[in-house]
């Protein structure tokens, strides 16, 4: 019997995001994914943009571990997710004073996504209900 962690195929619709894993670097991210038997990841791009993670090293590691990057994600400058009120005030693209910083980061993250062959990059957003 083959274990999921040994499979070279993506884990289908099941994946994990690096924000949820809360891993400090690519090796622990790969370890956590392999331990869960998950081979698909939504990858935070900020650590690459800030230089905390090395793009080429992470790519090689994920390829060696049969981990497939299915999408990327980015956060906006000065987001505060501690309360619903702070999310409403600071979340996403809303704060205009952070626009120049967020615009520059978005362009840099787009270049990273292109190097990673990622076609989808998401960002956090608050849930909005129709009529509210």
């Amino acid at each position: 019997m083959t274990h999921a962690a040994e499979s070279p195929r993506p884990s289908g619709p099941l994946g994990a995001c690096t924000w949820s894993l809360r891993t400090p670097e690519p090796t622990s991210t790969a370890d956590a994914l392999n331990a869960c038997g998950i081979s698909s990841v939504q990858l935070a791009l900020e650590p690459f943009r800030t230089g905390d993670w090395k793009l080429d090293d992470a790519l090689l590691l994920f390829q060696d571990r049969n981990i497939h990057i299915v999408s990327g994600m980015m956060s906006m400058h000065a987001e505060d997710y501690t309360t619903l009120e702070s999310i409403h005030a600071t979340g996403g693209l809303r704060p205009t004073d952070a626009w120049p910083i967020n615009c520059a980061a978005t362009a840099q993250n787009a270049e990273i996504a292109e190097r990673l062959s990622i076609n989808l990059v998401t960002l956090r957003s608050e849930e909005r209900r129709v009529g509210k």
Side-chain angles (χ1 to χ4, degrees):
M1 182 171 167
T2 302
H3 293 87
E6 298 170 353
S7 173
R9 295 173 288 130
S11 50
L14 181 62
C17 77
T18 50
W19 284 340
S20 296
L21 295 172
R22 297 182 181 186
T23 50
E25 41 75 34
T27 301
S28 58
T29 300
D31 291 343
L33 291 165
N34 289 154
C36 295
I38 295 174
S39 60
S40 297
V41 66
Q42 182 179 26
L43 193 61
L45 302 179
E46 302 303 321
F48 299 108
R49 187 178 63 76
T50 61
D52 292 335
W53 292 14
K54 302 298 179 213
L55 187 64
D56 293 333
D57 294 344
L59 273 174
L60 287 174
L61 173 70
F62 292 154
Q63 288 171 355
D64 287 345
R65 300 280 194 96
N66 294 316
I67 294 169
H68 304 274
I69 304 167
V70 295
S71 60
M73 54 192 174
M74 60 178 285
S75 57
M76 297 289 111
H77 176 72
E79 283 183 315
D80 178 359
Y81 273 70
T82 55
T83 68
L84 290 176
E85 292 78 20
S86 66
I87 293 168
H88 182 76
T90 67
L93 300 171
R94 179 171 297 146
T96 55
D97 58 332
W99 178 251
I101 295 168
N102 288 332
C103 191
T106 300
Q108 292 169 336
N109 283 328
E111 291 174 11
I112 294 166
E114 184 175 24
R115 287 195 55 207
L116 293 168
S117 299
I118 295 173
N119 295 321
L120 173 66
V121 176
T122 64
L123 53 107
R124 292 188 247 202
S125 64
E126 64 181 295
E127 182 179 331
R128 298 206 81 137
R129 297 186 187 198
V130 175
K132 295 254 177 180

